[in-house]
Amino acid sequence: MTLSTVLSVMAAGAVGGCLGSLLGLGGGVFLVPFLNVVLGLDFKVAAAVSLMTVIATSSAVSAGTAGRQLINLRLGMLLEIASTIGGLTLGVLVEHMSEPLLYKMFAIVTAAISVLMLTRLERRNVLSADVDPGPLGGRFHDDESGREVVYRVRRLPAALFASLVAGGISGALGIGGGILKVPILNAWCGVPMRAAAATSALMIGVTAVSSVPIQYARGYIMPPVAAAAVLGVLLGSRAGFWFGGRARAKWLKLLMAMVLGSVSVLYFVKGLR
Amino acid sequence: MNDQGISRLEVHLGRLLLGGVLTAATCLAIGLAIWLLGASRGAANVLLTAGLMVLMATPILRVVVSLVEYVRMRDWFFVTTTFVVLIVLFVTMGVAVMNARG
């Protein structure tokens, strides 16, 4: 491995980290294809390295958001039961799964979410400030509208199921899994986009830790590549966090849908080869 | 529900995550620099491994601190919730140790 390889991994990590922190995706959506297709690393190695960056993104983004009441700690911990079980299960099973199968699964999931996002662009999920948010809901000050935002969590089983599947995707494909949770928390469970993204960003770290030590023990982590990817993602997610406070929720959703659509096409093509 | 406690916990966890990720990044940056210079393979490997270990340990520590705080708040539902997450993570560690030996 050369200096140029390490620098290109770092640059790819920076781009992934920036978009990841904007979208609550964790950045792996870009990093896994890059490591796998461009650098020619084995898919499972790419996924394991990507999971390391997911942990870094999670810690860095959550450290930045903490104190603004955007992270729903209670809801997050409850959903982490499901997401870690999913991560552990698929983290064990992934060794027996073929690469085209993984590509196709991923393509279908991203296509579905992309459509879901596009049909829900105008949803706000905001109650007036005097409503009791209930045990799992929350309240925070929204910089965009300058108002106190209160929300209740609806359809908890859907959120738990989404977290289980997202955890599995994290364990198998090396992406954060926020890719699935954020749209479902937002569109179906009544959690505002920013709170859903912040809670998901916290969750993806623990979720990744439910499978990544297994991949580490299997020797899938190449330390210099992982280090370059992690450092790149950290720099990128800093930039993304800075943009995040300024971007509008609607454009965030539109951007997210477009990103997911492109990733889906890429994986359909790869899966059919 | 103890909203003040939850806010304080959020701030504590934020500091913990920041400390963990900065420590990991420092180890990884120095380790990668030494590795690229080819100065000392041993030192590079130690620092890279330490960085990745700290990175993986940080979210686990976050769950442990949450557990302690929920016990202090006597929020038994979330004590249980957090404990279950910890159990899943311990199973992961067990599987990882088995894989490393096998």
Side-chain angles (χ1 to χ4, degrees), chain A residues 193-260:
Chain A
M193 189 65 177
R194 280 180 207 290
T199 305
S200 171
L202 181 74
M203 287 177 62
I204 58 178
V206 160
T207 306
V209 168
S210 72
S211 66
V212 83
I214 300 170
Q215 320 306 0
Y216 190 96
R218 282 174 179 156
Y220 291 166
I221 308 271
M222 302 164 74
V225 174
V230 165
L231 293 169
V233 162
L234 283 175
L235 294 174
S237 72
R238 252 330 296 150
F241 179 67
W242 190 83
F243 291 133
R246 287 152 182 82
R248 288 172 167 271
K250 184 183 171 183
W251 293 108
L252 212 58
K253 287 185 185 180
L254 200 60
L255 182 62
M256 189 175 192
M258 279 165 49
V259 168
L260 294 184

Side-chain angles (χ1 to χ4, degrees), chain A residues 1-3 6 10 52-53 55-60 62-71 73-81 84-85 88 92 95 134-136 139 202-203 205-206 209-214 216-218 221-228 230-231 234, chain B residues 1-3 6-7 9-11 13-15 17-22 24-26 28-32 35-36 45 48-50 52-53 55-60 62-63 66-67 70 73 75 77-78 80-85 88-89 91-93 95-100:
Chain A
M1 203 172 4
T2 61
L3 178 65
V6 167
M10 217 180 260
M52 280 292 181
T53 73
I55 302 174
T57 309
S58 171
S59 296
S62 300
T65 353
R68 296 166 68 197
Q69 271 114 44
L70 276 174
I71 304 174
L73 289 175
R74 289 193 173 101
L75 178 66
M77 193 62 82
L78 190 58
L79 297 182
E80 276 160 19
I81 293 180
T84 52
I85 289 174
L88 171 59
V92 171
E95 197 146 78
L136 287 174
R139 58 175 77 226
L202 181 74
M203 287 177 62
V206 160
V209 168
S210 72
S211 66
V212 83
I214 300 170
Y216 190 96
R218 282 174 179 156
I221 308 271
M222 302 164 74
V225 174
V230 165
L231 293 169
L234 283 175
Chain B
M1 281 299 147
N2 186 345
D3 278 340
I6 280 285
S7 297
L9 175 60
E10 192 183 339
V11 174
L13 295 181
R15 285 195 198 121
L17 294 174
L18 187 65
V21 79
L22 287 180
T26 307
L28 291 176
I30 299 171
L32 190 62
W35 189 88
L36 283 171
N45 283 338
L48 290 174
T49 306
L52 295 176
M53 288 292 169
L55 197 63
M56 288 191 284
T58 304
I60 301 174
R62 194 262 290 177
V63 177
S66 302
L67 181 65
Y70 287 130
M73 285 185 232
D75 191 336
F77 181 74
F78 285 95
T80 314
T81 308
T82 312
F83 191 66
V84 174
V85 173
V88 178
L89 296 179
V91 174
T92 298
M93 294 304 154
V95 175
V97 169
M98 269 162 32
N99 269 281

